[in-house]
Amino acid sequence: TDRKKLHTAPVGQVFRLRPFHVLVATGGGYAGYRKYEDYKLEQLEKRGIEVPVKLASEWEVALYKSVPTRLLSRAWGRLNQVELPTWLRKPVYSLYIWTFGVNMKEAAVEDLHHYRNLSEFFRRKLKPQVRPVCCVHSVISPSDGKILNFGQVKNCEVEQVKGVTYSLESFLGPRISTEEMHFSQAPPGNSFQQQLVTKEGNELYHCVIYLAPGDYHCFHSPTDWTVSHRRHFPGSLMSVNPGVARWIKELFCHNERVVLTGDWKHGFFSLTAVGATNVGSIRIYFDQDLHTNSPSYSKGSYNDFSFISNNKEGIPMRKGEHLGEFNLGSTIVLIFEAPKDFKFNLKAGQKIRFGEALGTL
């Protein structure tokens, strides 16, 4: 009888928790399997072998989403803020440097003992001279990273990577009303894409930059422009590794992101910071009201904030000026209007550094 009493309660608890445990274990195992597949794809690409696109099915995406990435990202964020003993800092940071190929000679402070926790180390500043801002061309890279894709926006769709697209309207959300924008907009067109183009003869362009864990994690203004509006989409925090971006269609529309829109000398301009696993925290320096990776949110929801109502001129940003930061690494997506003769000086897959030119007019 005593044995039965000892075993009855634990067995009941196991049965009550089993669905959650099975879901997490299955989802986590599948995510690990995908990481291994991504590694194999990267090796094939390095050897110059073209990899055919194979998109995830709905059940695969649902299974991946079952992993509590938002909870894990918040836990990771808290762990990163734990102050490390001075004697432990160098071995911990050295392991990270070795794993992800960090170049500490570029850091403003090279002494590893200076960084009290992992969060400070991730958000380290650079020496000004190591990232000169191109003064010849009007659009520069806002961050260090890898170019995933670039080009003209066609048929209201944007490419994540070659052959895998997402909806422009799903990504940016409904068109912002004219009253909230700093510049006069063109008459409504037949499509969402046409509605964003404000000047006759212009085209809409895009550029996707992936920040790896070892990259510099701050991002800067890519041009001289005025930020008029911020739209925050809570969402999943799936990995944005190029392998996953090739696998999940509309990945960037699933993930949490912060969309900044405004205008530059050629019309519409937007910069979107996309969150990812362990990158639940996206910070915009001039926006103190922004809070990302909250414990709860409504699926498909978003919230807007206009900088016009509080500041009639919006937020002016100069090319190269500090704009925000990630707490690890993620993705920056630029979508902007420019004349038809705008040309990108890029190659898909190339490494780029903050301050280097993206294209020419």
Side-chain angles (χ1 to χ4, degrees), residues 21-223:
H21 287 162
V22 170
L23 200 62
V24 172
T26 306
Y30 193 76
Y33 166 74
R34 287 306 314 174
K35 285 287 187 182
Y36 174 68
E37 289 294 309
D38 296 340
Y39 172 76
K40 291 198 299 183
L41 290 176
E42 287 178 4
Q43 297 306 307
L44 290 174
E45 287 183 341
K46 287 179 180 178
R47 291 160 54 186
I49 302 173
E50 188 172 347
V51 182
V53 174
K54 184 180 178 182
L55 295 177
S57 62
E58 289 185 9
W59 72 265
E60 287 178 309
V61 176
L63 186 58
Y64 191 0
K65 281 187 172 183
S66 70
V67 181
T69 51
R70 292 178 65 86
L71 177 62
L72 293 173
S73 296
R74 284 195 298 275
W76 177 251
R78 291 174 182 171
L79 179 64
N80 287 351
Q81 294 173 5
V82 175
E83 185 169 343
L84 297 176
T86 305
W87 61 269
L88 189 58
R89 294 175 188 177
K90 188 171 183 178
V92 170
Y93 302 147
S94 295
L95 178 62
Y96 187 91
I97 291 168
W98 176 80
T99 303
F100 296 109
V102 178
N103 184 1
M104 284 303 294
K105 291 182 179 180
E106 296 180 337
V109 180
E110 295 184 41
D111 182 11
L112 297 180
H113 295 101
H114 169 79
Y115 303 100
R116 295 173 297 176
N117 51 48
L118 281 165
S119 182
E120 286 189 1
F121 179 72
F122 293 149
R123 295 180 287 107
R124 64 192 176 277
K125 299 296 186 288
L126 299 181
K127 297 171 183 174
Q129 63 271 21
V130 301
R131 293 291 187 276
V133 175
C134 176
C135 58
V136 178
H137 302 295
S138 55
V139 184
I140 62 170
S141 175
S143 66
D144 288 6
K146 178 181 180 181
I147 301 295
L148 291 190
N149 216 304
F150 61 91
Q152 282 190 18
V153 177
K154 298 179 180 179
N155 302 319
C156 295
E157 289 196 330
V158 186
E159 282 195 315
Q160 291 175 177
V161 293
K162 186 178 180 180
V164 182
T165 62
Y166 56 93
S167 162
L168 178 65
E169 186 169 6
S170 296
F171 181 69
L172 295 178
R175 183 169 176 261
I176 301 165
S177 64
T178 306
E179 291 75 15
E180 294 185 60
M181 298 303 290
H182 180 63
F183 59 97
S184 59
Q185 296 189 0
N190 296 324
S191 69
F192 182 81
Q193 178 178 335
Q194 292 172 331
Q195 293 175 24
L196 295 179
V197 178
T198 66
K199 298 180 181 179
E200 187 176 353
N202 281 1
E203 296 288 346
L204 208 59
Y205 297 86
H206 73 97
C207 183
V208 183
I209 305 170
Y210 166 70
L211 289 74
D215 287 328
Y216 168 57
H217 302 306
C218 296
F219 50 93
H220 301 245
S221 176
T223 191

